Amino acid sequence: NAGVTQTPKFQVLKTGQSMTLQCAQDMNHNSMYWYRQDPGMGLRLIYYSASEGTTDKGEVPNGYNVSRLNKREFSLRLESAAPSQTSVYFCASAGGLLNSGNTIYFGEGSWLTVV
Amino acid sequence: AQSVTQPDIHITVSEGASLELRCNYSYGATPYLFWYVQSPGQGLQLLLKYFSGDTLVQGIKGFEAEFKRSQSSFNLRKPSVHWSDAAEYFCAVDPGRRALTFGSGTRLQVQP
């Protein structure tokens, strides 16, 4: 019962470095999401992928890129990290359209600090 | 633009007391509504959801929520709070764009 698995769980980056957050789900879900969580701001959508082969921008996509590698995996890349990207990142997945009754499941989060 | 407002940033209740967490949304039509709970250092867990039908929905851990269209609200309630309910609670809506929009959260503290 792994569900949604994110790696790494913790990471410290220097400004300008690049890194990729990995996410995999084993529930055969079609839709996958990347959110960031900042104090007092709830979760904000960075990118999502409604199905394999498609990706769409969310509320805060600047500074990020994503790849839907296959149905299981959805990675988030920071090309040139900035201190403003210090946050907790959550990957999530859902079986299909949320308004079709599908529930979204979250990973446990990745804590990223950019110094 | 669609938005979700949780007006209470922090709430403290005594163990055994009742709880109501407020959530208001701004959207042209009735969205799909959710409540999630996040324990410290953890991901989010779904408490309950409303899609249609009965406006009072039951969830896990003894929580319920009532959808009130006239007030654009979806408040979360629990009759008797337990110390283990201390966490952060997020209201979320799916306005039909395939992803959830979250409120800023309400942190619940439970006093013994």
Side-chain angles (χ1 to χ4, degrees):
Chain A
N1 288 341
V4 179
T5 304
Q6 298 178 226
T7 56
K9 194 169 180 69
F10 299 98
Q11 184 72 49
V12 178
L13 285 178
K14 294 182 178 179
T15 298
Q17 286 185 319
S18 63
M19 78 158 296
T20 300
L21 297 175
Q22 307 286 353
C23 175
Q25 50 90 9
D26 61 2
M27 296 174 281
N28 200 35
H29 283 170
N30 290 317
S31 301
M32 297 187 73
Y33 310 84
W34 276 106
Y35 285 89
R36 61 177 288 174
Q37 183 179 25
D38 302 291
M41 303 188 74
L43 279 78
R44 293 180 292 168
L45 182 67
I46 304 172
Y47 273 93
Y48 68 101
S49 171
S51 61
E52 185 179 356
T54 69
T55 60
D56 288 283
K57 294 179 180 179
E59 184 182 357
V60 288
N62 291 344
Y64 304 95
N65 287 300
V66 291
S67 295
R68 184 74 184 266
L69 304 171
N70 47 55
K71 192 171 186 179
R72 289 187 63 248
E73 299 172 288
F74 188 40
S75 63
L76 178 71
R77 183 162 178 83
L78 286 69
E79 292 290 352
S80 179
S84 61
Q85 294 178 303
T86 294
S87 188
V88 183
Y89 292 85
F90 286 95
C91 180
S93 71
L97 295 178
L98 295 176
N99 55 14
S100 297
N102 293 287
T103 297
I104 186 171
Y105 294 88
F106 285 85
E108 295 190 339
S110 296
W111 274 254
L112 176 65
T113 300
V114 183
V115 297
Chain B
Q2 301 87 12
S3 66
V4 181
T5 302
Q6 293 180 246
D8 304 306
I9 297 172
H10 185 229
I11 284 182
T12 300
V13 299
S14 298
E15 190 168 15
S18 63
L19 171 70
E20 182 169 26
L21 302 182
R22 296 183 290 165
C23 173
N24 294 94
Y25 64 90
S26 172
Y27 184 58
T30 299
Y32 298 90
L33 299 158
F34 305 79
W35 274 100
Y36 281 83
V37 61
Q38 184 182 33
S39 298
Q42 300 297 314
L44 280 75
Q45 181 183 22
L46 178 68
L47 284 176
L48 47 79
K49 59 186 177 184
Y50 172 78
F51 284 172
S52 64
D54 192 347
T55 56
L56 184 65
V57 294
Q58 302 297 321
I60 62 172
K61 303 185 180 186
F63 285 93
E64 66 179 25
E66 185 172 14
F67 168 61
K68 292 185 177 180
R69 184 190 306 274
S70 61
Q71 298 177 18
S72 297
S73 69
F74 188 56
N75 294 348
L76 182 71
R77 302 194 294 245
K78 187 170 185 178
S80 178
V81 170
H82 188 262
W83 65 266
S84 61
D85 294 324
E88 189 153 20
Y89 292 80
F90 292 93
C91 181
V93 304
D94 170 24
R97 56 187 293 274
R98 305 188 179 188
L100 294 180
T101 297
F102 286 85
S104 55
T106 298
R107 183 166 298 279
L108 174 65
Q109 184 175 354
V110 181
Q111 288 183 333

